[in-house]
Amino acid sequence: MHLSPPAVLLSEWAASRRLGDGRALTWAQRGELRVWRSSVGWVIRADEPEPDGTCFPTIVVKRLDRDQRLALPAVSLQEWADLHGHPRPRAAAWVAQGRLPAWRSGHAWLIAPGAPPPVWRHRAGGEAGTPD
């Protein structure tokens, strides 16, 4: 059973609904969609409904503190690495190895911000606790 990701890029959300990127971005800028800014672009919950004219505009999230970012359904892989204090190449390697639960949205990798980093393995001949 394939589950949909909790969040996707705004452009992917718009394409899945056959909306133009411009319309979705306009709704986001007006605060009619709950979106947040990521290092890879605007991100939105995959199940976010289209505005129907009856919703009250909500604040567009642009800048969040660490705790607020950890509460989002997804952040970019770079942001996850920053939140957890790991270099991006290491995080990307963990994704490639299947050790981090990330998903692809458009051109970007997204990940739940609270996803725990994999346990570092000891390398033969290396120091104990040396990261992969």
Side-chain angles (χ1 to χ4, degrees), residues 57-106:
T58 57
I59 296 171
V60 177
V61 179
K62 293 183 181 178
R63 300 201 194 319
L64 302 172
D65 64 26
R66 186 173 193 280
D67 288 339
Q68 291 169 321
R69 290 189 314 172
L70 286 169
L72 291 171
V75 294
S76 70
L77 189 61
Q78 176 64 53
E79 289 170 306
W80 180 91
D82 291 344
L83 280 169
H84 293 278
H86 294 284
R88 189 196 180 289
R90 180 182 300 149
W94 285 338
V95 168
Q97 296 164 3
R99 296 174 64 194
L100 271 177
W103 61 92
R104 202 81 171 141
S105 178

Side-chain angles (χ1 to χ4, degrees), residues 1 9 19 23 29 33 38-39 44 53 67 69-70 76 82 84 86 100 115 123 130 132:
M1 179 177 177
L9 293 175
L19 301 168
R23 179 185 289 176
Q29 291 170 334
L33 293 173
S38 171
S39 64
I44 186 170
D67 288 339
R69 290 189 314 172
L70 286 169
S76 70
D82 291 344
H84 293 278
H86 294 284
L100 271 177
R123 289 187 174 182
T130 302
D132 288 330

